[in-house]
């Protein structure tokens, strides 16, 4: 990959990372509010499982299979006929997908209401069959909340099509801010409207659902306006074209693969929901901390690298294809492996400062920390799988991802029930880790066999360098935390919480600087290149 392309990619990544960082941090604020209002009790668990259902379809039909299949075909259409042809195909996709989204939403809303109206004895029998305790109040509440949240699904699925079009045009800023609108809406609805106008937990959780719907409307409307400014106009189009046939051929295997992956996630969360009132919330809060590096860095890299991979694949440029992939892998190694080490080293203060407020107690923190450590180990596997999956999508290969997802699902189904029974949420996180590692290995081996260009530029040396530097950084973080928090500040110099915050503000930047110095010593290629770009931009701004 040429230096000019590196510079353009870095700038796009900075834009995407800025927006994604804002959305993830706001998502953390949102989850802090949920933890503060509801703790790890039944209301939190009911909302998490209810909102997971439209999110399952979002990742399955929106940001997952549809977007992955759409990008290569849309890029090809644009190459053949410019933006006009790409927009015509874009309208065709919306015209065919939107009615299905609305029909699925109506069906699930009706089913959720029917479940909520079931007699107590029927609900109790179904809950016991799933391994849950006899208390079905959270199950009935989850059914009602599912009916409230489901209209979010068609809005966000169509919004994912809009963001794919913006990414095709290289307009990453609007797409990076998409989740910001959702999180701001939910924060306002729960933190302001729920606080002042919600007198009971039930009323407050309803306000939270209303915030999700408002956020979905903003996530749909803002990208649509941005695309309209870029020249798109909607017109109803249901004609069958060669591009539509190609999209369907890619979409159907992709939806099976994405479906397996998302059902795998839902299966684990439903097991946690069924174990007891607390398990799902603990599992969810730990996972949310891990999703910060995955969401900010992995999504940033894959969002920017994927259009390049699709472009090089469409041009049959094996050299640039392999170089771009190796570049993305080095970035993922350099960011996600140290993120794992840092999360494990600072797990206790992170959970305590993020969530131990209001109804989230010290006992909840103690239960969440080990789950977080296990989840952190899966971060590099998810990151590599994300990039490898995009590379396969660029080659229009979705069957490989289906097979890898089926392998992960089979392992999780075999391990999660027994590990969850014996070790609770920690066991469920362990099953998730094993299945994620197996899926990552299967995808990477298949990609190397599928296209030799992806092995032309070695990345194993980069992996070893980041692994060694990350291990040293983790040890440095533990020592720095002990020195700063315990020795210098005495653990309570400014009050318990403020002392943790101040200590983290000292330890985290020091650990990052220590890690960066190690990469410089090890001559990691992207370090010097990023410094050159940063210095160039700084000189221009003077």
């Amino acid at each position: 990959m040429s230096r000019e392309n590196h510079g353009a990619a870095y700038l796009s990544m900075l834009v995407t990372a800025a927006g994604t960082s804002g959305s993830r941090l706001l998502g953390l604020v949102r989850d802090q509010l949920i933890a503060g209002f509801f703790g790890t009790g039944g209301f939190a668990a009911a909302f998490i499982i209810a909102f997971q259902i439209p999110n399952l379809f979002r990742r399955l039909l929106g940001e997952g299979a549809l977007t992955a299949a759409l990008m290569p075909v849309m890029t090809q259409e644009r190459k053949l006929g410019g933006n006009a042809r790409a927009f015509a195909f874009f309208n065709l996709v919306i015209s065919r997908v939107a009615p299905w989204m609305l029909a699925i939403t109506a069906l699930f809303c009706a089913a959720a209401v029917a479940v909520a109206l079931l007699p107590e004895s029927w609900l109790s029998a179904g809950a016991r069959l799933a391994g849950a305790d006899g208390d079905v109040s959270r199950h009935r509440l989850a059914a009602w909340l599912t009916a409230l949240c489901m209209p979010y699904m068609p809005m966000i699925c169509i919004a994912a099509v809009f963001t794919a079009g913006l990414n095709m045009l290289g307009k990453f800023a609007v797409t990076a801010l998409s989740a910001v609108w959702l999180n701001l809406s939910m924060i306002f609805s729960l933190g302001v409207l729920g606080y002042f106008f919600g007198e009971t937990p039930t009323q407050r959780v309803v306000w939270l659902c209303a915030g999700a719907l408002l956020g979905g409307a903003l996530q749909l409307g803002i990208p649509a306006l941005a695309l309209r400014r870029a020249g798109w106009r909607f017109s109803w189009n249901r004609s069958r074209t060669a591009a539509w046939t190609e999209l369907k051929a890619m979409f159907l295997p992709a939806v099976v693969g994405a479906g397996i992956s998302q059902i795998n996630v839902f299966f684990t969360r439903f097991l946690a929901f069924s174990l007891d009132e607390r398990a799902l919330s603990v599992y969810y809060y730990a996972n949310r901390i891990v999703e910060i590096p995955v969401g900010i860095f992995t999504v940033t890299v894959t969002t920017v690298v994927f259009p390049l991979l699709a472009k090089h694949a469409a041009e049959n440029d094996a050299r640039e294809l392999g170089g771009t992939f190796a570049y993305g892998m080095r970035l993922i190694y350099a960011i996600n492996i140290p993120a794992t080490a840092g999360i494990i080293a600072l797990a206790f203060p992170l959970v305590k400062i993020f969530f131990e407020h209001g109804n989230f107690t010290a006992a909840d923190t103690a239960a969440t920390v080990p789950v977080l450590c296990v989840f952190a180990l899966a971060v590099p596997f998810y990151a590599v799988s994300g990039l490898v999956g995009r590379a396969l999508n660029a080659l229009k290969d979705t069957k490989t991802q289906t097979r890898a997802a089926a392998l992960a699902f089979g392992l999780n189904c075999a391990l999660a029930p027994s590990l969850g029974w014996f070790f609770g949420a920690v066991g469920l996180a362990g099953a998730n880790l094993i299945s994620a590692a197996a899926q990552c290995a299967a995808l990477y081996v298949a990609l190397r066999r599928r296209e030799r260009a992806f092995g032309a530029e070695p990345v194993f040396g980069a992996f070893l360098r980041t692994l060694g530097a990350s291990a040293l950084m983790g040890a440095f973080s533990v020592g720095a935390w002990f020195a700063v928090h315990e020795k210098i500040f005495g653990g309570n110099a400014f009050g318990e919480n403020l002392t943790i915050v101040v200590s983290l503000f000292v330890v985290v930047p020091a650990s990052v600087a220590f890690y960066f110095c190690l990469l410089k010593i090890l001559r990691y290629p992207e370090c010097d290149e990023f410094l050159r770009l940063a210095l160039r931009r700084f000189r221009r701004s003077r």
Side-chain angles (χ1 to χ4, degrees), residues 377-422:
L377 292 171
V379 168
F381 298 116
Y382 281 125
V384 173
S385 294
L387 182 61
V388 174
R390 291 309 194 194
L392 288 166
N393 288 332
L395 297 174
K396 302 179 181 179
D397 179 359
T398 53
K399 294 181 180 179
T400 297
Q401 295 181 71
T402 301
R403 290 192 291 267
L407 171 65
F409 183 50
L411 278 173
N412 198 39
C413 287
L415 296 174
S418 56
L419 291 178
W421 178 266
F422 286 106

Side-chain angles (χ1 to χ4, degrees), residues 108-188:
F108 268 79
C109 285
V113 170
V115 170
L117 294 174
L118 287 175
E120 191 83 9
S121 58
W122 289 24
L123 273 179
S124 182
R128 287 194 179 93
L129 186 64
D133 52 35
D135 181 14
V136 297
S137 59
R138 69 179 184 275
H139 297 78
R140 192 182 299 278
L141 177 62
W144 282 118
L145 296 183
T146 298
L148 286 175
C149 290
M150 274 305 297
Y152 174 76
M153 188 272 286
M155 291 188 287
I156 195 61
C157 285
I158 301 302
V161 180
F162 287 133
T163 57
L166 290 169
N167 287 342
M168 176 195 67
L169 297 174
K171 299 180 180 297
F172 296 103
V174 176
T175 62
L177 292 172
S178 177
V180 169
W181 315 126
L182 172 68
N183 291 325
L184 283 174
S185 299
M186 295 176 76
I187 289 169
F188 177 75

Side-chain angles (χ1 to χ4, degrees), residues 131-354:
D133 52 35
D135 181 14
V136 297
S137 59
R138 69 179 184 275
H139 297 78
R140 192 182 299 278
L141 177 62
W144 282 118
L145 296 183
T146 298
L148 286 175
C149 290
M150 274 305 297
Y152 174 76
M153 188 272 286
M155 291 188 287
I156 195 61
C157 285
I158 301 302
V161 180
F162 287 133
T163 57
L166 290 169
N167 287 342
M168 176 195 67
L169 297 174
K171 299 180 180 297
F172 296 103
V174 176
T175 62
L177 292 172
S178 177
V180 169
W181 315 126
L182 172 68
N183 291 325
L184 283 174
S185 299
M186 295 176 76
I187 289 169
F188 177 75
S189 293
L190 179 59
V192 178
L193 300 178
Y195 180 79
F196 287 106
F197 302 108
E199 298 180 358
T200 65
T202 301
Q203 292 174 350
R204 286 171 175 166
V205 81
V206 169
W207 277 114
L208 183 59
C209 294
L213 297 182
L214 174 61
L218 292 174
Q219 285 179 293
L220 174 63
I222 292 173
L225 288 174
L227 204 60
R228 184 176 175 83
R229 291 192 191 100
W232 165 75
R233 296 293 184 272
F234 177 72
S235 61
W236 190 258
N237 178 13
R238 292 179 60 86
S239 60
R240 295 182 180 273
T241 64
W244 174 252
T245 302
E246 185 177 10
L247 177 66
K248 285 200 303 180
M250 292 178 62
F251 174 71
L252 292 177
V255 79
V256 174
I260 294 170
S261 296
Q262 294 310 312
I263 291 170
N264 195 11
V265 173
F266 184 77
F267 169 75
T268 306
R269 291 192 175 183
F270 185 75
L271 279 180
F273 183 70
S274 300
L275 283 175
D276 56 58
E277 185 177 78
R278 185 187 195 186
L280 175 58
S281 301
V282 167
Y283 184 93
Y284 174 80
Y285 294 135
N287 193 41
R288 290 298 294 168
I289 294 177
V290 164
E291 285 182 353
I292 294 175
V294 173
I296 293 175
F297 304 122
T298 304
V299 172
T300 296
V301 172
T302 55
T303 297
V304 175
V305 170
F306 182 38
L308 295 174
L309 291 172
K311 176 177 178 289
H312 299 321
E315 295 170 349
N316 293 316
D317 190 340
R319 181 175 175 274
E320 285 294 317
L321 189 64
T324 300
F325 176 75
Y327 166 69
M329 287 290 284
R330 289 194 300 270
L331 287 175
I332 280 176
Y333 288 153
I335 295 170
N336 287 278
I337 295 176
T340 292
I343 290 172
I344 292 173
L346 302 173
F348 178 79
L350 288 174
V351 175
K352 187 172 181 63
I353 200 61
F354 284 151

Side-chain angles (χ1 to χ4, degrees), residues 533-542:
L533 178 68
L535 288 172
R536 193 186 313 141
R537 293 292 160 183
F538 174 74
R539 291 192 188 106
R540 288 179 182 176
S541 65
R542 293 178 64 181

Side-chain angles (χ1 to χ4, degrees), residues 342 346 350 473 476-477 480-481 484 489 500-518:
L346 302 173
L350 288 174
M473 188 208 73
F476 176 86
S477 299
W481 176 261
V484 173
F489 296 140
I500 291 176
V501 172
V502 173
S503 299
L504 287 172
F505 268 104
V506 174
V507 172
V508 172
S511 299
V512 171
F514 177 76
Y515 173 74
F516 185 78
C517 289
L518 290 175

